[in-house]
Amino acid sequence: MKTRKVNHRMLSVALLTGMFLLSIFNFSFGQDVARGQAQATVLPLIVVTATQVLDFGEVFQGVPKTIARTNDDSAAIFTITGEHGAGINLQLILPEYINLADDSDRMPIVFRATDAAVDTNGATPSTVVAADGWVDQNPYILPAGATIGATNTRIYLGGKVNPSSNQKAGAYTNDIVLMVAYNNQ
Amino acid sequence: MVCCRKLSGEVFFIIWAAVTLCIILFGSGSAQDITVNNNLEFGPVFPGVPKSISKYSAGEAAEFFITGTPNAEITIDFTLPTYMYSSGSTMAIQYSTTDCAMDSSATPNQSSPGNDNLNPRQTLTYRLGSTGLTIWLGATVVPGLMQKPGNYSATITLTVAYTGN
């Protein structure tokens, strides 16, 4: 009987000690881990295509020639695709001259403050109006609020060449560069 | 009769021990628990345009809520991803040394947290409040100019442990 009594007490003390240590362990060293997510959706890339070159065609020596931005066949057309409605920054880098392939002569090219249009509504150079985007824009400072239209956005550009009276005959070219970037708007 | 009194004493001792242990277990050290209240949501991201989510931005910043023993000191460790992933593509994600904040008050204020501008890459030590502790995390994604379109994600792991203090 005495032995049984001791065992009960020893058992109780052991239980008490064990649970106490367990509680201390839990209190001091317990840890929890949670996992959250970082999530983002990357929108479609901007793609810029030179759909049509600014084509002055045949030019006579000493006779300036102008191509209007409204000329469906000869105005430069750039087409921009990407996320519909996203704001974009537009910048044209325009040449001051167009050159013969062998660089033996060059011809001045100028752009007036109304030689560009921005079309977000699927119009054409000859039909684009202010409601379609922006018309009569300065190609050196394209509108800051431009966006990508439902199908695309197009830039129409006209210009003028001023051949000299002794302009060398031949095919003159140079690059017109359009840079487009999302502006997070 | 004597035997019965002895047995009653032992039973009483066991009951006393059990009650004491219950007090120890549930009165002084409940286990902590973490709830993810909000994921870190960047939403639409333009290729080539970095996007930051402020820790103050409700609904966009990551938000974790920790409960446990009131006033207990805990350590907080983030395991932060360096990239987000989308079917083989990666996008860099960065954290500034001030992108984390926490508030242990009963009414946590995300726009003006009690403990602000914390470095999420360091182990943070803080005390739980009477109702717990809320932690916010901001970050910046840096998409490339030719970043492949799609949904990107990564796991942010938060580990919390009592210090015993």
Side-chain angles (χ1 to χ4, degrees):
Chain A
M1 199 63 193
K2 184 179 179 182
T3 302
R4 185 178 175 190
K5 179 182 174 184
V6 171
N7 285 344
H8 274 273
R9 286 190 173 172
M10 287 181 66
L11 180 65
S12 301
V13 170
L15 188 66
L16 176 65
T17 305
M19 293 183 73
F20 179 75
L21 289 174
L22 183 65
S23 72
I24 292 294
F25 179 81
N26 176 62
F27 181 78
S28 303
F29 303 106
Q31 71 172 30
D32 193 22
V33 176
R35 291 176 177 83
Q37 290 287 307
Q39 299 171 335
T41 301
V42 176
L43 300 174
L45 294 169
I46 288 177
V47 178
V48 184
T49 307
T51 307
Q52 180 169 285
V53 302
L54 177 56
D55 187 2
F56 289 94
E58 295 179 346
V59 175
F60 296 103
Q61 291 172 326
V63 182
K65 187 171 185 179
T66 299
I67 296 296
R69 64 158 180 80
T70 56
N71 188 319
D72 284 334
D73 299 322
S74 300
I77 301 175
F78 294 92
T79 302
I80 306 160
T81 59
E83 177 69 11
H84 172 220
I88 49 176
N89 291 335
L90 302 168
Q91 185 177 7
L92 280 167
I93 299 175
L94 302 169
E96 294 181 356
Y97 299 93
I98 53 177
N99 309 308
L100 279 176
D102 61 3
D103 278 336
S104 62
D105 201 359
R106 64 184 188 177
M107 178 164 46
I109 180 171
V110 294
F111 301 90
R112 297 172 302 169
T114 57
D115 266 344
V118 179
D119 173 16
T120 61
N121 203 30
T124 65
S126 62
T127 62
V128 65
V129 294
D132 296 317
W134 294 262
V135 296
D136 296 334
Q137 295 295 300
N138 185 340
Y140 291 98
I141 312 171
L142 290 172
T147 59
I148 293 180
T151 305
N152 55 44
T153 288
R154 303 214 298 176
I155 309 295
Y156 308 129
L157 177 69
K160 180 182 179 183
V161 288
N162 293 308
S164 64
S165 56
N166 61 347
Q167 192 77 48
K168 203 170 180 179
Y172 289 72
T173 62
N174 207 339
D175 291 335
I176 296 172
V177 178
L178 173 63
M179 296 194 299
V180 185
Y182 285 121
N183 60 16
N184 217 9
Q185 300 299 312
Chain B
M1 194 62 182
V2 172
C3 179
C4 288
R5 276 203 299 266
K6 284 183 179 177
L7 284 175
S8 296
E10 288 173 357
V11 170
F12 173 80
F13 181 76
I14 291 171
I15 292 172
W16 172 82
V19 170
T20 303
L21 286 169
C22 284
I23 293 171
I24 291 170
L25 281 174
F26 300 110
S28 64
S30 60
Q32 69 275 66
D33 184 51
I34 309 172
T35 304
V36 181
N37 284 346
N38 201 69
N39 287 321
L40 182 56
E41 298 280 3
F42 288 95
V45 174
F46 296 108
V49 183
K51 185 172 186 179
S52 295
I53 295 298
S54 166
K55 58 184 178 287
Y56 306 127
S57 179
E60 294 183 319
E63 180 178 306
F64 299 88
F65 182 60
I66 305 166
T67 57
T69 304
N71 205 40
E73 186 180 76
I74 58 172
T75 58
I76 301 154
D77 287 285
F78 281 105
T79 303
L80 299 170
T82 307
Y83 295 97
M84 298 173 72
Y85 299 89
S86 174
S87 60
S89 297
T90 61
M91 178 167 61
I93 179 170
Q94 300 175 344
Y95 314 87
S96 77
T97 55
T98 59
D99 262 344
C100 183
M102 59 179 80
D103 193 334
S104 62
S105 66
T107 54
N109 186 343
Q110 185 168 4
S111 58
S112 182
N115 197 4
D116 201 358
N117 297 324
L118 306 170
N119 186 348
R121 292 202 178 279
Q122 294 180 343
T123 296
L124 307 171
T125 303
Y126 209 62
R127 287 191 181 277
L128 294 175
S130 59
T131 57
L133 177 67
T134 304
I135 301 176
W136 297 281
L137 176 70
T140 299
V141 286
V142 187
L145 280 171
M146 301 298 289
Q147 190 73 46
K148 185 180 176 183
N151 296 320
Y152 288 71
S153 64
T155 300
I156 297 169
T157 302
L158 179 64
T159 303
V160 176
Y162 286 117
T163 65
N165 297 323

